[in-house]
Amino acid sequence: MLFKVDKFVSENPFLKLIKLANYDRNRQFIKELCKSCSKKDTVIYYLYIGEEICGFVGISVNKIDNIPCLQVDYIYVKEEYRKSEFEELNQKRISEFLIFLCMEIGKDLQSKIGLRWLALIPDNNELEVFYIEYFKFTKYKTKNNIHILFISL
């Protein structure tokens, strides 16, 4: 299998991404992510095998309690690729590869715009445990009582 990474910066990728989702909840997240991308607030990186998109991540620069962050707005992997490890991705799952990609982008941006964290809000408790145990994310409660996870860049 040949994996390739590409990105959407300002074009609206809605039609390409919406057909990946099987559930209305995912479609709503994709719709909002694509709106943000078309406003140039978010960049969407997608990973595909051949011509098929198998997963993507939307990221944006944000401040959380005045701490400059690269924020993972949404991460999605097509169901048939979830929980599979791929030799071409150094025995990583697609979601893991996308998080490591975000970390690398954050480290690159850190030297240019002074980011300190990669931050995200996990979708459920299972993902929270995974991010904390596997990537060593730390829980943080914002001044607005929002719980996020972060990792220093």
Side-chain angles (χ1 to χ4, degrees):
M1 273 185 239
L2 177 64
F3 286 89
K4 187 171 111 180
V5 175
D6 208 344
K7 68 180 176 177
F8 294 106
V9 178
S10 60
E11 66 179 282
N12 190 331
F14 182 75
L15 294 176
K16 283 188 177 187
L17 300 181
I18 196 67
K19 59 186 167 190
L20 302 177
N22 294 335
Y23 303 104
D24 189 52
R25 184 169 185 268
N26 298 108
R27 288 185 187 104
Q28 292 303 318
F29 280 121
I30 291 170
K31 184 178 178 183
E32 291 304 312
L33 187 68
C34 291
K35 279 184 193 176
S36 187
C37 183
S38 66
K39 293 181 202 173
K40 300 182 182 180
D41 293 336
T42 297
V43 176
I44 300 172
Y45 286 86
Y46 57 98
L47 180 69
Y48 55 116
I49 301 171
E51 298 300 314
E52 179 186 11
I53 296 174
C54 53
F56 62 89
V57 62
I59 55 176
S60 59
V61 174
N62 198 356
K63 278 193 174 185
I64 297 172
D65 291 347
N66 284 330
I67 300 165
C69 303
L70 182 65
Q71 181 170 317
V72 175
D73 297 322
Y74 188 61
I75 187 168
Y76 183 81
V77 177
K78 279 182 76 171
E79 283 191 44
E80 62 261 32
Y81 296 107
R82 294 179 187 172
K83 299 190 180 187
S84 296
E85 294 179 348
F86 296 90
E87 184 179 326
E88 300 86 351
L89 301 176
N90 294 322
Q91 297 306 121
K92 289 181 178 55
R93 295 188 285 183
I94 290 172
S95 59
E96 294 173 75
F97 175 82
L98 292 170
I99 291 292
F100 281 119
L101 175 67
C102 292
M103 290 172 158
E104 290 304 311
I105 292 167
K107 288 175 185 175
D108 182 54
L109 289 174
Q110 182 181 38
S111 64
K112 297 171 184 158
I113 61 173
L115 296 178
R116 290 185 38 206
W117 290 353
L118 175 66
L120 57 82
I121 299 173
D123 192 42
N124 57 53
N125 288 338
E126 183 181 320
L127 285 173
E128 180 176 299
V129 169
F130 173 71
Y131 291 128
I132 291 170
E133 289 180 358
Y134 187 82
F135 295 104
K136 307 300 182 215
F137 274 82
T138 301
K139 283 185 177 185
Y140 179 79
K141 186 176 180 181
T142 68
K143 294 174 185 173
N144 297 330
N145 289 325
I146 298 170
H147 289 86
I148 67 157
L149 298 179
F150 78 91
I151 192 165
S152 295
L153 294 171

